[in-house]
């Protein structure tokens, strides 16, 4: 099921900044690490691959070429060879290489031994992306692009002169939403829950994606599901921490309700939500002015929470089916997961693409249910 890791992402980035070159494409990269597959983002800018420094460190951890990352007093990132990388204590992204605009290029200073390197980098989603080749040069490892199977091999010669592969990265081709074909965004609120897995299984089976608007307790409890959602290219939206009516809260209250979810999702997945759905769909201009990301409700309400009946949920979706629909469901209920098992294959059969909210914003000028 390789294809499905590629659906999202690129669209948001392409819309965002003139500085961000036209030839920039977001890809998913896959590598095997101690028996399990690891997925992460990479970007191709004018045919050069950019990776997050942290992802490269993780990839080479437990190999001959492992390296640690820390910050020195001048604010440069220190690379120490032959040390193991630990994700904690290396929060250098917030201050180094950061520019006001999200996709600006910036200089990323790296120190290794006595040498200071100023690398060209992109700052995206609060992470620094640098040329894979630049980092590999610093840690004395070679890169080789294999165009036939779209892999990047990281290799070196050992003391005996034998060529050793330290890691192999598969770059998965990007799949783009076809604007000429109909699409719907399935959205699931209030979870995750134990039933979310079955919904993800169904989406995976039919190469579809969806958006999950999560709340605080559930998001904290099911961080593994959050990770799976983004790994499989579905999207996580913000549904606030306590599911309170935002129209009753102060500015500080609204911001705290939103920001707590932003941080939970970021620490579980490395990605900040880009869209908020206010609890109960309630908002006013004060709420809007205190939310910095886009806001979206829905145009089809299945009332799945009320009926708890798979047939009724299915019928509501099918009776209203139209291009660009934003469909509200809740991944708390087993009956909703049952309905999804029927909805997804039927919709796909009818020629609809299942897209995330961000993909919908990319593809449509007027998104149904859009608040801001
Ligand atoms: Ni809700």
């Amino acid at each position: 099921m390789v294809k499905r890791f590629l659906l999202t992402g690129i669209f948001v980035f392409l819309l965002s900044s003139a500085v961000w070159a036209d030839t920039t494409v977001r890809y998913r990269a896959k590598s095997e690490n101690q028996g399990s597959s690891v997925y992460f983002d990479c970007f191709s800018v004018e045919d050069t691959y950019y990776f997050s420094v942290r992802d490269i460190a993780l990839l080479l951890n437990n190999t001959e070429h492992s390296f640690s990352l820390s910050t020195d007093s001048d604010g440069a990132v220190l690379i120490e060879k032959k040390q193991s990388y630990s994700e904690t204590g290396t929060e250098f992204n917030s201050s180094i290489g950061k520019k006001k605009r999200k996709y600006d290029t910036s200089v990323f200073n790296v120190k290794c031994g006595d040498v200071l390197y100023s690398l060209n980098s992109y700052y995206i989603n609060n992470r620094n992306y640098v040329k894979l080749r630049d980092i590999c040069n610093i840690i004395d490892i070679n890169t080789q692009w294999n165009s036939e199977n779209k892999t990047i091999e990281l290799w070196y010669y050992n003391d005996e002169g034998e060529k050793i592969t330290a890691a192999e990265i598969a770059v998965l081709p990007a799949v783009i939403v076809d604007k000429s074909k109909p699409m719907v965004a399935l959205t699931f609120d209030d979870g995750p829950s134990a039933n979310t897995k079955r919904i993800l299984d169904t989406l995976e089976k039919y190469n579809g994606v969806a958006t999950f608007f999560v709340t605080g307790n559930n998001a904290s409890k099911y961080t593994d599901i959050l990770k799976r959602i983004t790994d499989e290219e579905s999207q996580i939206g913000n549904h606030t921490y306590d599911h309170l009516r935002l129209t009753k809260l102060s500015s500080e209250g609204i911001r705290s309700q939103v920001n707590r979810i932003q941080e939970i999702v970021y620490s579980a997945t490395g990605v900040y939500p880009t869209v908020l759905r206010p609890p109960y769909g309630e908002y006013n201009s004060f709420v809007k002015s205190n939310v910095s990301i886009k806001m979206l409700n829905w145009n089809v309400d299945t009332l799945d929470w009320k009926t708890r009946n798979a047939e009724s949920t299915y019928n509501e979706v099918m009776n209203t089916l139209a291009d660009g629909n934003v469909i509200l469901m809740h991944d708390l209920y087993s009956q909703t997961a049952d309905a999804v098992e029927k909805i997804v294959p039927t919709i796909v059969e009818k020629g609809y693409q299942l897209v995330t909210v961000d993909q919908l914003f990319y593809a449509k000028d007027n998104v149904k249910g859009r608040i801001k």
Side-chain angles (χ1 to χ4, degrees):
M1 285 286 104
V2 162
K3 262 204 305 189
R4 42 188 330 283
F5 292 100
L6 309 167
L7 286 166
T8 332
I10 156 174
F11 317 108
V12 193
F13 299 130
L14 288 178
L15 291 171
S16 299
S17 165
V19 178
W20 193 232
D22 285 335
T23 50
T24 300
V25 179
R26 178 192 179 209
Y27 289 100
R28 294 295 278 174
K30 179 189 179 188
S31 191
E32 303 299 322
N33 196 335
Q34 297 173 313
S36 63
S37 300
V38 184
Y39 292 89
F40 44 92
D41 291 335
C42 68
F43 295 85
S44 133
V45 184
E46 283 153 5
D47 294 330
T48 300
Y49 284 104
Y50 284 70
F51 283 77
S52 143
V53 187
R54 289 162 181 269
D55 287 333
I56 302 169
L58 265 182
L59 201 66
L60 292 172
N61 228 357
N62 307 311
T63 73
E64 287 275 302
H65 288 76
S66 64
F67 61 92
S68 66
L69 294 170
S70 55
T71 312
D72 85 348
S73 51
D74 301 330
V77 170
L78 278 182
I79 286 187
E80 285 179 88
K81 296 182 200 175
K82 309 251 176 209
Q83 301 294 314
S84 64
Y85 168 65
S86 134
E87 278 192 279
T88 54
T90 51
E91 285 301 329
F92 49 79
N93 288 324
S94 59
S95 58
I96 295 171
K98 187 169 181 174
K99 286 261 188 96
K100 279 182 191 142
R101 290 164 61 161
K102 216 173 171 186
Y103 306 113
D104 275 357
T105 53
S106 57
V107 171
F108 189 73
N109 289 323
V110 172
K111 214 186 261 180
C112 183
D114 292 330
V115 187
L116 179 70
Y117 303 84
S118 289
L119 309 183
N120 196 13
S121 86
Y122 283 95
Y123 186 73
I124 307 162
N125 270 353
N126 302 292
R127 309 189 91 193
N128 291 105
Y129 287 81
V130 294
K131 288 179 191 164
L132 180 63
R133 209 176 297 134
D134 284 344
I135 290 293
C136 287
N137 283 343
I138 295 172
I139 57 167
D140 306 320
I141 201 161
N142 306 294
T143 59
Q144 190 174 329
W145 169 244
N146 179 337
S147 59
E148 199 167 305
N149 55 7
K150 291 230 168 199
T151 55
I152 302 168
E153 188 187 1
L154 307 188
W155 64 275
Y156 61 96
Y157 289 118
N158 69 6
D159 294 343
E160 284 74 46
E162 298 159 324
K163 190 181 165 187
I164 306 288
T165 303
E168 194 170 52
I169 304 166
V171 179
L172 308 174
V175 174
I176 295 175
V177 170
D178 186 344
K179 287 188 188 185
S180 70
K181 289 189 181 146
M183 63 192 76
V184 293
L186 302 179
T187 66
F188 299 92
D189 287 11
D190 301 354
S193 84
N195 291 305
T196 310
K197 281 183 187 160
R198 194 145 58 89
I199 292 171
L200 289 169
D201 290 344
T202 306
L203 289 167
E204 180 172 36
K205 197 168 160 191
Y206 294 94
N207 244 336
V209 288
T211 305
F212 296 83
F213 288 94
V214 302
T215 54
N217 282 338
N218 290 334
S220 310
K221 189 170 168 192
Y222 293 103
T223 52
D224 55 329
I225 295 183
L226 297 183
K227 185 80 174 69
R228 182 174 166 194
I229 291 170
T230 57
D231 277 352
E232 298 187 353
E233 292 294 298
S234 278
Q235 186 179 344
I236 299 175
N238 188 322
H239 199 40
T240 76
Y241 194 87
D242 289 309
H243 206 274
L244 303 172
R245 290 174 200 280
L246 295 181
T247 48
K248 310 265 187 231
L249 300 181
S250 67
S251 173
E252 293 72 33
I254 294 168
R255 285 160 191 254
S256 145
Q257 283 294 317
V258 174
N259 288 340
R260 286 168 80 187
I261 288 292
Q262 294 295 97
E263 293 308 323
I264 289 169
V265 173
Y266 180 75
S267 65
T269 67
V271 182
Y272 282 111
T274 55
V275 60
L276 173 91
R277 175 169 286 163
Y280 312 100
E282 280 191 12
Y283 65 93
N284 55 25
S285 57
F286 183 70
V287 170
K288 278 164 48 174
S289 70
N290 280 288
V291 174
S292 60
I293 54 179
K294 15 179 222 288
M295 292 170 66
L296 179 76
N297 273 339
W298 55 86
N299 74 306
V300 175
D301 188 350
T302 61
L303 296 176
D304 61 333
W305 60 274
K306 199 170 173 184
T307 66
R308 308 277 180 96
N309 180 303
E311 195 62 25
S312 152
T313 302
Y314 171 81
N315 288 338
E316 188 57 34
V317 172
M318 298 318 298
N319 293 341
T320 56
L321 190 63
D323 182 28
N325 274 0
V326 177
I327 300 164
L328 172 63
M329 289 183 273
H330 298 79
D331 51 332
L332 298 178
Y333 312 112
S334 65
Q335 297 91 336
T336 298
D338 293 339
V340 168
E341 285 176 352
K342 225 178 135 190
I343 289 166
V344 166
T346 313
I347 288 184
V348 169
E349 170 87 355
K350 285 180 180 290
Y352 280 78
Q353 303 168 92
L354 292 168
V355 299
T356 64
V357 161
D358 272 345
Q359 286 175 319
L360 200 62
F361 273 93
Y362 161 76
K364 302 287 183 194
D365 292 332
N366 294 305
V367 173
K368 295 173 182 179
R370 179 171 195 170
I371 301 167
K372 75 166 239 189

